[in-house]
Amino acid sequence: MPPEDRRPLENVVILGSGCAGLTAAIYAARANLEPLVVMGVEMGGQLSLTTDVENYPGFPEGVQGPELIDLMRRQAERFGARFAYGDATAADLSERPFIIEIEGEPVRTKALIVCSGASARMLGIPGEKRLLGHGVSTCATCDGAFFRDQEVIVVGGGDSAMEEAIFLTRFASRVYVVHRREALRASKIMQDRAFANEKIEFLWNTHVVEVLGDPEVEAVRLWNSESDEKREIPIDGVFIAIGHVPNTEIFERQLPLDAQGYLVLKEAGRSLTEVDGVFAGGDVHDHFYRQAVTAAAAGCRAAMDCEKYLERVGEAPETSAAHSATPSGGGGLAGTMRAVVKVGDEGGREGTELRDVPIPEPGPGEARLKVLACAICGSDRHIWHWDESVQDLVDPPRVYGHEFCGEIDAVGASPGRDDLAPGAYASAEMHVTCGTCRQCRAGQGHVCARTEIIGFHRDGTFAEYVVVPTRNVVILDRQVVPPKVGAFLDALGNAVHTVQDHDLTGASVAILGYGPIGAMAAAIAEHERASRIYVLDVSEAAIEQAERWKAERSAHQVTVLKTGRDVAGEVETRILDETVGGVDLVLEMSGAAAAINQGLRLARMGGSMSLLGLPTDEAVTIERFAHDLVFKGLTLNAIIGRRIFSTWERMLALLASGLDVTSLVTHEHESLEAFPEAMEAFDSHEALKTVLYPNGQNGQRNGR
């Protein structure tokens, strides 16, 4: 028997994660088919690149494209759909089971649903490919904000081009629409909107023949086909919106394609292709409607046809294991694990349960780790209380928690990650990059508005096992990073991010808020030999914890000050006098408006300020920000934009050089059963950093 025949056999693989693919996943998952969804290089499809969607049923006020995609993905995941990050790079449909290669790794499947959509068409001109991601873009939604107060061009004359141009006027000072004809192809309503926008100027009968610049776009070379005039114009960004090419390359000579490369179906109104067991839905075959709602309908048809096909050939599964945090009733039976689960809309103990849930299985591009240690953080507190800020992110039932370290237990097909051997000691970045924005496409993974968070959007780490993307896994040295510290590396990464661009040697630092991340930032500043470290908080408990840490470290350069409305002026005067005009770096951790305003006052001319919290009221005004940013010349930093992988490199280097944060762990618990008490201690500020050991400190709970 060939080696690949011993690989797990999927019921159905769905290629694509747009409207069609996710709808197919919802229907297939509800039919107990446990579909494996291959996300593709354009995760979320074209809809994830769209701003306001006003014509999708059920959203009278409209909905953002990425938000709609996220809702559909979470719905599919709730019913048991699994997701593989990467692209389908090859397919063999000559016999069943079919073989689909995901980033070069073969996966066997009984059936295949192709919803791979269509990708943006490029101009094919000099400089375009070289400068893609460096000023050339196919997505205004992703990249528009990078061109604030700059001049850009949009190439194209259809609805997509008009939508891109109108969106870009939110940021750019001028938008040129370059169209090769003398009339637009866009719908009348989109034309009217574009013509009415004073920021948009049209260049008719004009072609872009070259993009110029190094290393960023600096200009474009244009040719007017009517006058034969050639000229160069300086420009900062080039947005290409000239249509799409169906993603069907891997099916050439295996499935019928039309002259434009779209899949040809056997009959109208169905999803069947010429190969029995292969189905299609969405823009991969539809070059007429190309709407989100028609793509969703096509995905539904494909899943239903697939279900009937598997029943007809006698390969439909009778039952299906759940892939979400649902009760198993197993009470420690094989195949289950203990986990802390957010179960409903109530806060506190009533809305959280310790349950036996199925042990998750890693798919392609994923690894399962036995959790050795996990830690409670402020985000978990929001879920515990079921704050309004997390209700749109977390879909109960959900295993939550997103700080941990563990040992690799199983790995799905993951090209390039041969280091992920069973038993390896590791942790993982808990933010899953979107893969679609400018920075991500350039290989600079960062936190953005589209980033998924493990423990929010998918099951987290308060469990005996957790599944994470292999690209996020970081191998650790246990001698440098013991489990007690490995449990909260994600939080430590946030602290490292706040100071990543600063040389703290000899610098003055003010830390506003001595919670867990504030405490870690103080430890980093002390380790990096900052000359003065001011720790400010309004809480007596936090002040006591800071004083204990200062005494333990004999950190004479640290000054701990209780602030608040009555003493804020006195505290600020003291700091401004001692630093002769203000501190070099302010780290604001709470999001409290009073603290943000205080930080603005404490920063010196030309200093920096990092924000980890979100303002909780409107007491921080744009006038205040503008005054201090402009007239003080401050540099502002925030968690959105955190450079994920360089942050880990800096963090591990600090730990290897002797950064000591073990004293910040004030409470430890031998099992998940202690979670409610641990959370309440954390919530009351009795605990600074709390670590739990789901499998016991020896990692052998229940014989696992």
Side-chain angles (χ1 to χ4, degrees):
M1 183 180 292
E4 62 270 24
D5 288 345
R6 293 195 293 269
R7 298 176 186 272
L9 178 61
E10 300 290 343
N11 292 314
V12 57
V13 168
I14 300 172
L15 303 185
S17 56
C19 262
L22 292 176
T23 303
I26 292 168
Y27 276 77
R30 283 176 54 83
N32 286 336
L33 297 183
E34 299 179 279
L36 176 65
V37 182
V38 182
M39 301 287 279
V41 293
E42 294 180 357
M43 292 185 287
Q46 294 301 309
L47 201 61
S48 68
L49 311 180
T50 305
T51 50
D52 296 323
V53 179
E54 299 176 332
N55 56 1
Y56 198 89
F59 296 91
E61 304 301 321
V63 62
Q64 293 286 301
E67 180 186 358
L68 180 57
I69 286 294
D70 182 61
L71 290 170
M72 296 177 74
R73 183 197 59 76
R74 288 161 56 189
Q75 187 176 359
E77 190 176 45
R78 172 189 170 198
F79 293 115
R82 295 162 295 140
F83 294 86
Y85 291 86
D87 197 21
T89 53
D92 182 356
L93 309 181
S94 61
E95 60 180 358
R96 298 184 68 251
F98 306 126
I99 304 296
I100 306 298
E101 291 190 9
I102 303 173
E103 300 295 341
E105 289 294 319
V107 173
R108 301 191 307 148
T109 182
K110 301 173 186 177
L112 175 67
I113 298 177
V114 182
C115 299
S116 48
S119 297
R121 190 185 301 275
M122 304 301 288
L123 295 169
I125 59 175
E128 176 188 47
K129 184 176 181 180
R130 175 175 58 85
L131 292 169
L132 186 64
H134 298 276
V136 175
S137 173
T138 61
C139 175
T141 307
C142 306
D143 301 334
F146 291 105
F147 297 91
R148 190 177 298 276
D149 298 325
Q150 300 181 54
E151 295 190 353
V152 301
I153 68 169
V154 174
V155 183
D159 277 355
S160 295
M162 297 308 102
E163 183 180 359
E164 299 266 286
I166 292 167
F167 177 81
L168 286 166
T169 60
R170 301 182 187 182
F171 308 101
S173 59
R174 196 71 178 163
V175 178
Y176 298 94
V177 174
V178 179
H179 187 44
R180 59 182 178 172
R181 298 186 177 92
E182 59 185 13
L184 298 174
R185 294 178 291 106
S187 61
K188 182 67 164 56
I189 188 171
M190 293 304 297
Q191 289 192 44
D192 290 345
R193 290 178 181 177
F195 290 146
N197 195 308
E198 295 181 352
K199 282 190 174 183
I200 298 177
E201 180 178 335
F202 290 85
L203 303 179
W204 304 106
N205 301 305
T206 300
H207 302 250
V208 180
V209 295
E210 187 174 1
V211 185
L212 307 170
D214 186 20
E216 302 279 338
V217 169
E218 298 173 0
V220 290
R221 184 169 289 125
L222 304 177
W223 170 61
N224 186 293
S225 58
E226 190 173 69
S227 65
D228 200 34
E229 177 191 6
K230 296 179 180 178
R231 61 177 174 140
E232 290 183 11
I233 63 169
I235 210 74
D236 301 296
V238 179
F239 290 83
I240 301 167
I242 57 172
H244 298 87
V245 178
N247 298 315
T248 55
E249 183 179 355
I250 65 173
F251 300 113
E252 291 180 2
R253 295 182 297 278
Q254 298 194 77
L255 293 172
L257 307 176
D258 67 12
Q260 296 173 299
Y262 289 89
L263 285 178
V264 177
L265 303 183
K266 288 181 69 173
E267 56 182 289
R270 298 293 301 276
S271 67
L272 285 64
T273 70
E274 290 293 335
V275 175
D276 210 19
V278 178
F279 310 88
D283 292 0
V284 74
H285 70 81
D286 173 18
H287 49 80
F288 183 77
Y289 294 105
R290 289 189 288 197
Q291 298 295 306
V293 69
T294 56
C300 167
R301 285 197 300 268
M304 294 179 70
D305 286 341
C306 177
E307 180 188 2
K308 296 299 182 185
Y309 164 76
L310 291 174
E311 290 176 356
R312 175 167 60 82
V313 297
E315 295 183 355
E318 295 181 3
T319 59
S320 169
H323 286 272
S324 60
T326 54
S328 70
L333 296 175
T336 66
M337 66 177 183
R338 299 293 275 167
V340 177
V341 182
K342 177 63 186 173
V343 294
D345 294 337
E346 295 181 285
R349 291 178 181 246
E350 291 76 16
T352 298
E353 293 182 6
L354 187 66
R355 286 184 172 182
D356 291 307
V357 303
I359 295 176
E361 290 295 328
E366 295 180 332
R368 182 175 66 210
L369 285 83
K370 176 194 281 187
V371 179
L372 297 181
C374 53
I376 295 174
C377 71
S379 296
D380 302 320
R381 177 193 285 137
H382 294 310
I383 300 175
W384 170 261
H385 288 295
W386 200 230
D387 291 343
E388 190 173 327
S389 62
V390 301
Q391 291 178 16
D392 290 336
L393 303 177
V394 179
D395 187 16
R398 173 71 71 216
V399 177
Y400 61 106
H402 63 276
E403 296 180 6
F404 88 110
C405 64
E407 293 178 347
I408 294 175
D409 178 68
V411 182
S414 301
R417 292 308 309 260
D418 296 336
D419 56 327
L420 304 185
Y425 177 55
S427 184
E429 169 62 47
M430 294 289 101
H431 298 85
V432 182
T433 57
C434 71
T436 60
C437 67
R438 182 185 184 188
Q439 285 182 263
C440 285
R441 293 202 308 274
Q444 301 163 355
H446 71 132
V447 176
C448 69
R450 296 184 183 178
T451 300
E452 285 190 349
I453 304 173
I454 295 172
F456 278 70
H457 301 93
R458 56 175 74 184
D459 284 346
T461 62
F462 292 157
E464 294 180 57
Y465 293 89
V466 64
V467 166
V468 297
T470 52
R471 60 178 173 165
N472 284 38
V473 176
V474 179
I475 299 298
L476 303 176
D477 183 342
R478 199 183 295 249
Q479 299 301 314
V480 174
V481 188
K484 184 176 181 178
V485 173
F488 57 89
L489 290 180
D490 197 73
L492 182 57
N494 288 338
V496 170
H497 170 75
T498 65
V499 300
Q500 189 156 38
D501 293 330
H502 303 278
D503 180 2
L504 297 184
T505 304
S508 56
V509 181
I511 298 167
L512 311 186
Y514 195 78
I517 298 179
M520 295 174 204
I524 293 169
E526 188 257 347
H527 175 75
E528 295 283 85
R529 298 186 296 280
S531 61
R532 293 179 181 270
I533 303 170
Y534 296 95
V535 177
L536 283 67
D537 206 296
V538 298
S539 163
E540 287 287 358
I543 292 296
E544 290 175 7
Q545 289 171 339
E547 290 286 11
R548 281 197 297 270
W549 169 76
K550 174 184 175 180
E552 289 171 2
R553 300 293 300 174
S554 299
H556 303 296
Q557 75 273 43
V558 176
T559 302
V560 180
L561 299 170
K562 188 176 187 302
T563 188
R565 182 173 301 176
D566 297 336
V567 296
E570 179 183 337
V571 167
E572 291 166 20
T573 299
R574 173 179 173 177
I575 294 174
L576 293 173
D577 287 345
E578 291 180 358
T579 57
V580 192
V583 299
D584 299 306
L585 174 62
V586 174
L587 306 179
E588 203 296 301
M589 304 295 180
S590 69
I596 295 174
N597 286 326
Q598 186 174 54
L600 290 169
R601 293 190 293 269
L602 289 176
R604 67 167 173 80
M605 296 284 287
S608 297
M609 184 171 180
S610 290
L611 303 175
L612 260 75
L614 296 173
T616 53
D617 57 45
E618 297 179 358
V620 183
T621 66
I622 189 63
E623 289 82 9
R624 179 74 263 169
F625 263 115
H627 180 276
D628 287 326
L629 289 173
V630 172
F631 293 102
K632 277 192 171 182
L634 297 183
T635 298
L636 192 65
N637 190 22
I639 190 60
I640 294 296
R642 164 180 161 180
R643 296 175 302 282
I644 288 176
F645 301 110
S646 62
T647 295
W648 276 83
E649 291 171 3
R650 172 78 185 278
M651 174 172 59
L652 295 179
L654 285 170
L655 290 169
S657 67
L659 172 65
D660 184 6
V661 290
T662 55
S663 63
L664 304 183
V665 178
T666 58
H667 291 63
E668 296 177 83
H669 299 277
E670 280 292 312
S671 73
L672 294 172
E673 276 76 4
F675 176 80
E677 294 78 16
M679 175 56 80
E680 288 169 351
F682 180 82
D683 197 33
S684 67
H685 302 288
E686 175 188 340
L688 185 59
K689 203 63 188 172
T690 298
V691 173
L692 300 98
Y693 301 94
N695 289 285
Q697 289 211 44
N698 62 4
Q700 296 298 320
R701 183 172 306 283
N702 295 331
R704 295 192 176 104

